Amino acid sequence: MPAYDLIIIGAGPGGYVAAIRAAQLGLRTAVIERRHLGGICLNWGCIPTKSLLHSAEIVHGLQTAPQFGVELREQAVSLSKMVERSRGVSGQLNAGVQFLLRKNKIDVIWGEAELAGHGHVRVKAVTGESPKGTLPPGDYEAADIIVATGARERALPGIDPDGRLIWSYHHAMTARERPASLIVIGGGAIGVEFASFYAALGTKVTLVERMPRILPLEDAEIAELMAKALKKKGVEVVCGGGVTKVVANMAGLAAEIRQAGGGVRTLEAERLLSAAGVVANIEGLGLERLGVELSNGTIRTDANGRTNVAGIHAIGDVAGPPMLAHKAEREGILCVEAIAGKSTHSALGAVPSCVYAHPQIASIGLTEEAARAAGEAVEIGRFSLRGNGKAMTLGETDGMVKVIFDAASRKVVGAHMIGPSVSELIAVFSLAMTLGATREQLITTIFPHPTISEAMHEAILASDGRAIHA
């Protein structure tokens, strides 16, 4: 039975990054994968959707070009070509992951993994051809095993995607023709991104969220600004109701929405997209056999990814929220360094999150509601992009930066932004929180002009009543 120092089940962002770090630390490492090197994120999530959303940004640019003095006589949008490009980007990155694993002398075992005992993994064959250079199914041993099996889309009762009338997000990102109308179930990040994308292409979109507002995990002010931005694009936002029944009809389908007050509303559209979040892949791994503890459908771990069973670890989506690729990568590194006895950090730290709709959202740390619910004394600064020169030049002034400071320590405990390129800017607040920067230190930091980042500085100043351009 081939033996390794470490076997990682799953080659998504958490798994392959953990494998590379393990190899750097001298551990003989293998990764088991059943479907995609790079995982759902690279192949069917983060990367291809961002390619599609960039196409939507270009469409928006074409539509608004006249106000910038650019007249375009003809505009032709090809969804099939957008999809083709997105699949090509994913294919390139998939090959890149394969190259990195090979470069770091990491074995890839192709098949379905099951924990057969302590330090023992049984790999069963899966349908389809395995990539060149991978090891066959069989029994393998390792001193430590990391479960990094990720998550899959949540299935709603009675609303089973068929790829024709009812879509999963897989179907939505590989469609060849734009539907004239679309109902999106789920007002989280996935639903909002697809609503934004299809609305940009001219589809009449209705976004349905069972909670009182869309993006319920985001700061309420930021979520409200996104709702307004979507409505400005023609998206109808329906909150406080859930889809209870979907029936095919001559127009496509009819969805019955049961609202919080007890009323029932029927929506009609050509297609319906189920985007109601994700659930962890914990089934079929043999976790119960070894007595691995679970919590709310995910694997319970400590700060370094250790489970209650010696030698078994878990990282990424399967280890619980937030279910984000960059969180999985960081957890993988922390877990491997702890296994190798090289750990220098014992906590994950604040994790930024982004919504890549138009406009973008980026956030980190506590929302205002969470801070106040915890009894925190906070000082809050806000700055509208209407006062930012760069936003005005871009014609993108419908946005805001909001920063939350602990009143006693003057350190950042939360930051929330909506506007152009804010997904690139949130790292500033991430770094500030990691280093424990104070408001005074951030105030004395010089931000370049003219940039959107100046709005961050103004929000910091505003928290102390010192904003210049407010």
Side-chain angles (χ1 to χ4, degrees), residues 93-110:
L93 290 172
N94 179 285
V97 171
Q98 190 170 4
F99 166 77
L100 288 172
L101 294 174
R102 187 168 61 247
K103 174 187 173 184
N104 286 278
K105 298 180 173 57
I106 298 162
D107 287 342
V108 177
I109 305 163
W110 207 255

PDB file of all heavy atoms in Angstrom, residues 93-110:
ATOM      1  N   LEU A  93      -6.418  27.782 -16.609  1.00  0.00           N
ATOM      2  CA  LEU A  93      -6.058  27.714 -15.197  1.00  0.00           C
ATOM      3  C   LEU A  93      -6.029  26.280 -14.690  1.00  0.00           C
ATOM      4  O   LEU A  93      -5.217  25.927 -13.828  1.00  0.00           O
ATOM      5  CB  LEU A  93      -7.025  28.564 -14.369  1.00  0.00           C
ATOM      6  CG  LEU A  93      -6.875  30.076 -14.583  1.00  0.00           C
ATOM      7  CD1 LEU A  93      -7.993  30.828 -13.885  1.00  0.00           C
ATOM      8  CD2 LEU A  93      -5.526  30.555 -14.066  1.00  0.00           C
ATOM      9  N   ASN A  94      -6.937  25.449 -15.202  1.00  0.00           N
ATOM     10  CA  ASN A  94      -6.929  24.031 -14.855  1.00  0.00           C
ATOM     11  C   ASN A  94      -5.596  23.403 -15.234  1.00  0.00           C
ATOM     12  O   ASN A  94      -4.981  22.659 -14.445  1.00  0.00           O
ATOM     13  CB  ASN A  94      -8.090  23.324 -15.567  1.00  0.00           C
ATOM     14  CG  ASN A  94      -8.140  21.841 -15.282  1.00  0.00           C
ATOM     15  OD1 ASN A  94      -7.337  21.070 -15.804  1.00  0.00           O
ATOM     16  ND2 ASN A  94      -9.100  21.434 -14.462  1.00  0.00           N
ATOM     17  N   ALA A  95      -5.114  23.704 -16.442  1.00  0.00           N
ATOM     18  CA  ALA A  95      -3.811  23.196 -16.877  1.00  0.00           C
ATOM     19  C   ALA A  95      -2.691  23.746 -16.011  1.00  0.00           C
ATOM     20  O   ALA A  95      -1.696  23.068 -15.741  1.00  0.00           O
ATOM     21  CB  ALA A  95      -3.578  23.568 -18.344  1.00  0.00           C
ATOM     22  N   GLY A  96      -2.869  24.996 -15.554  1.00  0.00           N
ATOM     23  CA  GLY A  96      -1.870  25.599 -14.682  1.00  0.00           C
ATOM     24  C   GLY A  96      -1.756  24.882 -13.349  1.00  0.00           C
ATOM     25  O   GLY A  96      -0.647  24.679 -12.826  1.00  0.00           O
ATOM     26  N   VAL A  97      -2.887  24.471 -12.790  1.00  0.00           N
ATOM     27  CA  VAL A  97      -2.866  23.719 -11.527  1.00  0.00           C
ATOM     28  C   VAL A  97      -2.163  22.379 -11.723  1.00  0.00           C
ATOM     29  O   VAL A  97      -1.352  21.953 -10.889  1.00  0.00           O
ATOM     30  CB  VAL A  97      -4.300  23.509 -10.995  1.00  0.00           C
ATOM     31  CG1 VAL A  97      -4.302  22.548  -9.803  1.00  0.00           C
ATOM     32  CG2 VAL A  97      -4.913  24.843 -10.589  1.00  0.00           C
ATOM     33  N   GLN A  98      -2.464  21.725 -12.836  1.00  0.00           N
ATOM     34  CA  GLN A  98      -1.812  20.449 -13.141  1.00  0.00           C
ATOM     35  C   GLN A  98      -0.295  20.625 -13.224  1.00  0.00           C
ATOM     36  O   GLN A  98       0.469  19.810 -12.689  1.00  0.00           O
ATOM     37  CB  GLN A  98      -2.360  19.891 -14.452  1.00  0.00           C
ATOM     38  CG  GLN A  98      -1.923  18.462 -14.746  1.00  0.00           C
ATOM     39  CD  GLN A  98      -2.679  17.871 -15.936  1.00  0.00           C
ATOM     40  OE1 GLN A  98      -3.463  18.544 -16.581  1.00  0.00           O
ATOM     41  NE2 GLN A  98      -2.436  16.608 -16.216  1.00  0.00           N
ATOM     42  N   PHE A  99       0.146  21.712 -13.855  1.00  0.00           N
ATOM     43  CA  PHE A  99       1.572  21.994 -13.975  1.00  0.00           C
ATOM     44  C   PHE A  99       2.203  22.232 -12.598  1.00  0.00           C
ATOM     45  O   PHE A  99       3.283  21.713 -12.296  1.00  0.00           O
ATOM     46  CB  PHE A  99       1.789  23.216 -14.865  1.00  0.00           C
ATOM     47  CG  PHE A  99       3.176  23.783 -14.791  1.00  0.00           C
ATOM     48  CD1 PHE A  99       4.227  23.166 -15.459  1.00  0.00           C
ATOM     49  CD2 PHE A  99       3.442  24.928 -14.040  1.00  0.00           C
ATOM     50  CE1 PHE A  99       5.522  23.683 -15.379  1.00  0.00           C
ATOM     51  CE2 PHE A  99       4.712  25.450 -13.954  1.00  0.00           C
ATOM     52  CZ  PHE A  99       5.763  24.821 -14.628  1.00  0.00           C
ATOM     53  N   LEU A 100       1.528  23.005 -11.752  1.00  0.00           N
ATOM     54  CA  LEU A 100       2.081  23.314 -10.423  1.00  0.00           C
ATOM     55  C   LEU A 100       2.217  22.063  -9.563  1.00  0.00           C
ATOM     56  O   LEU A 100       3.207  21.898  -8.836  1.00  0.00           O
ATOM     57  CB  LEU A 100       1.183  24.337  -9.725  1.00  0.00           C
ATOM     58  CG  LEU A 100       1.239  25.767 -10.274  1.00  0.00           C
ATOM     59  CD1 LEU A 100       0.158  26.626  -9.634  1.00  0.00           C
ATOM     60  CD2 LEU A 100       2.613  26.374 -10.042  1.00  0.00           C
ATOM     61  N   LEU A 101       1.229  21.176  -9.639  1.00  0.00           N
ATOM     62  CA  LEU A 101       1.312  19.931  -8.868  1.00  0.00           C
ATOM     63  C   LEU A 101       2.465  19.066  -9.363  1.00  0.00           C
ATOM     64  O   LEU A 101       3.218  18.494  -8.569  1.00  0.00           O
ATOM     65  CB  LEU A 101      -0.016  19.176  -8.959  1.00  0.00           C
ATOM     66  CG  LEU A 101      -1.220  19.857  -8.296  1.00  0.00           C
ATOM     67  CD1 LEU A 101      -2.501  19.083  -8.590  1.00  0.00           C
ATOM     68  CD2 LEU A 101      -1.023  19.995  -6.795  1.00  0.00           C
ATOM     69  N   ARG A 102       2.599  18.982 -10.668  1.00  0.00           N
ATOM     70  CA  ARG A 102       3.699  18.202 -11.239  1.00  0.00           C
ATOM     71  C   ARG A 102       5.054  18.823 -10.889  1.00  0.00           C
ATOM     72  O   ARG A 102       6.000  18.118 -10.528  1.00  0.00           O
ATOM     73  CB  ARG A 102       3.510  18.106 -12.750  1.00  0.00           C
ATOM     74  CG  ARG A 102       4.519  17.175 -13.447  1.00  0.00           C
ATOM     75  CD  ARG A 102       4.110  16.902 -14.881  1.00  0.00           C
ATOM     76  NE  ARG A 102       4.051  18.121 -15.670  1.00  0.00           N
ATOM     77  CZ  ARG A 102       2.939  18.651 -16.164  1.00  0.00           C
ATOM     78  NH1 ARG A 102       1.767  18.068 -15.935  1.00  0.00           N
ATOM     79  NH2 ARG A 102       2.971  19.752 -16.886  1.00  0.00           N
ATOM     80  N   LYS A 103       5.144  20.142 -10.985  1.00  0.00           N
ATOM     81  CA  LYS A 103       6.383  20.865 -10.671  1.00  0.00           C
ATOM     82  C   LYS A 103       6.823  20.618  -9.237  1.00  0.00           C
ATOM     83  O   LYS A 103       8.029  20.498  -8.956  1.00  0.00           O
ATOM     84  CB  LYS A 103       6.165  22.363 -10.900  1.00  0.00           C
ATOM     85  CG  LYS A 103       7.325  23.250 -10.467  1.00  0.00           C
ATOM     86  CD  LYS A 103       6.940  24.723 -10.580  1.00  0.00           C
ATOM     87  CE  LYS A 103       8.013  25.616  -9.987  1.00  0.00           C
ATOM     88  NZ  LYS A 103       7.610  27.053 -10.010  1.00  0.00           N
ATOM     89  N   ASN A 104       5.860  20.511  -8.325  1.00  0.00           N
ATOM     90  CA  ASN A 104       6.180  20.307  -6.910  1.00  0.00           C
ATOM     91  C   ASN A 104       6.216  18.837  -6.519  1.00  0.00           C
ATOM     92  O   ASN A 104       6.251  18.512  -5.333  1.00  0.00           O
ATOM     93  CB  ASN A 104       5.171  21.066  -6.051  1.00  0.00           C
ATOM     94  CG  ASN A 104       5.401  22.566  -6.068  1.00  0.00           C
ATOM     95  OD1 ASN A 104       6.246  23.075  -5.338  1.00  0.00           O
ATOM     96  ND2 ASN A 104       4.657  23.279  -6.912  1.00  0.00           N
ATOM     97  N   LYS A 105       6.199  17.947  -7.538  1.00  0.00           N
ATOM     98  CA  LYS A 105       6.325  16.494  -7.323  1.00  0.00           C
ATOM     99  C   LYS A 105       5.225  15.962  -6.399  1.00  0.00           C
ATOM    100  O   LYS A 105       5.477  15.151  -5.502  1.00  0.00           O
ATOM    101  CB  LYS A 105       7.714  16.151  -6.777  1.00  0.00           C
ATOM    102  CG  LYS A 105       8.839  16.515  -7.757  1.00  0.00           C
ATOM    103  CD  LYS A 105      10.198  16.163  -7.182  1.00  0.00           C
ATOM    104  CE  LYS A 105      11.308  16.356  -8.212  1.00  0.00           C
ATOM    105  NZ  LYS A 105      11.369  17.733  -8.755  1.00  0.00           N
ATOM    106  N   ILE A 106       4.016  16.435  -6.652  1.00  0.00           N
ATOM    107  CA  ILE A 106       2.850  15.988  -5.889  1.00  0.00           C
ATOM    108  C   ILE A 106       2.093  14.971  -6.730  1.00  0.00           C
ATOM    109  O   ILE A 106       1.731  15.241  -7.876  1.00  0.00           O
ATOM    110  CB  ILE A 106       1.939  17.182  -5.546  1.00  0.00           C
ATOM    111  CG1 ILE A 106       2.692  18.180  -4.656  1.00  0.00           C
ATOM    112  CG2 ILE A 106       0.650  16.713  -4.882  1.00  0.00           C
ATOM    113  CD1 ILE A 106       2.053  19.547  -4.614  1.00  0.00           C
ATOM    114  N   ASP A 107       1.856  13.792  -6.183  1.00  0.00           N
ATOM    115  CA  ASP A 107       1.103  12.765  -6.898  1.00  0.00           C
ATOM    116  C   ASP A 107      -0.379  13.128  -6.932  1.00  0.00           C
ATOM    117  O   ASP A 107      -0.941  13.611  -5.932  1.00  0.00           O
ATOM    118  CB  ASP A 107       1.269  11.403  -6.226  1.00  0.00           C
ATOM    119  CG  ASP A 107       2.648  10.801  -6.458  1.00  0.00           C
ATOM    120  OD1 ASP A 107       3.339  11.257  -7.385  1.00  0.00           O
ATOM    121  OD2 ASP A 107       3.031   9.879  -5.695  1.00  0.00           O
ATOM    122  N   VAL A 108      -1.012  12.880  -8.068  1.00  0.00           N
ATOM    123  CA  VAL A 108      -2.459  13.075  -8.192  1.00  0.00           C
ATOM    124  C   VAL A 108      -3.093  11.711  -8.404  1.00  0.00           C
ATOM    125  O   VAL A 108      -2.755  10.985  -9.342  1.00  0.00           O
ATOM    126  CB  VAL A 108      -2.799  14.002  -9.371  1.00  0.00           C
ATOM    127  CG1 VAL A 108      -4.315  14.134  -9.519  1.00  0.00           C
ATOM    128  CG2 VAL A 108      -2.168  15.375  -9.169  1.00  0.00           C
ATOM    129  N   ILE A 109      -3.995  11.354  -7.507  1.00  0.00           N
ATOM    130  CA  ILE A 109      -4.713  10.083  -7.574  1.00  0.00           C
ATOM    131  C   ILE A 109      -6.130  10.382  -8.041  1.00  0.00           C
ATOM    132  O   ILE A 109      -6.820  11.215  -7.440  1.00  0.00           O
ATOM    133  CB  ILE A 109      -4.733   9.385  -6.198  1.00  0.00           C
ATOM    134  CG1 ILE A 109      -3.304   9.211  -5.662  1.00  0.00           C
ATOM    135  CG2 ILE A 109      -5.457   8.049  -6.278  1.00  0.00           C
ATOM    136  CD1 ILE A 109      -3.249   8.911  -4.175  1.00  0.00           C
ATOM    137  N   TRP A 110      -6.572   9.727  -9.117  1.00  0.00           N
ATOM    138  CA  TRP A 110      -7.871  10.053  -9.708  1.00  0.00           C
ATOM    139  C   TRP A 110      -8.937   9.063  -9.255  1.00  0.00           C
ATOM    140  O   TRP A 110      -8.826   7.865  -9.469  1.00  0.00           O
ATOM    141  CB  TRP A 110      -7.780  10.048 -11.226  1.00  0.00           C
ATOM    142  CG  TRP A 110      -8.806  10.952 -11.844  1.00  0.00           C
ATOM    143  CD1 TRP A 110      -9.952  10.582 -12.472  1.00  0.00           C
ATOM    144  CD2 TRP A 110      -8.772  12.377 -11.884  1.00  0.00           C
ATOM    145  NE1 TRP A 110     -10.644  11.700 -12.900  1.00  0.00           N
ATOM    146  CE2 TRP A 110      -9.934  12.820 -12.557  1.00  0.00           C
ATOM    147  CE3 TRP A 110      -7.862  13.338 -11.414  1.00  0.00           C
ATOM    148  CZ2 TRP A 110     -10.226  14.167 -12.770  1.00  0.00           C
ATOM    149  CZ3 TRP A 110      -8.147  14.681 -11.633  1.00  0.00           C
ATOM    150  CH2 TRP A 110      -9.312  15.076 -12.296  1.00  0.00           C
TER     151      TRP A 110
END
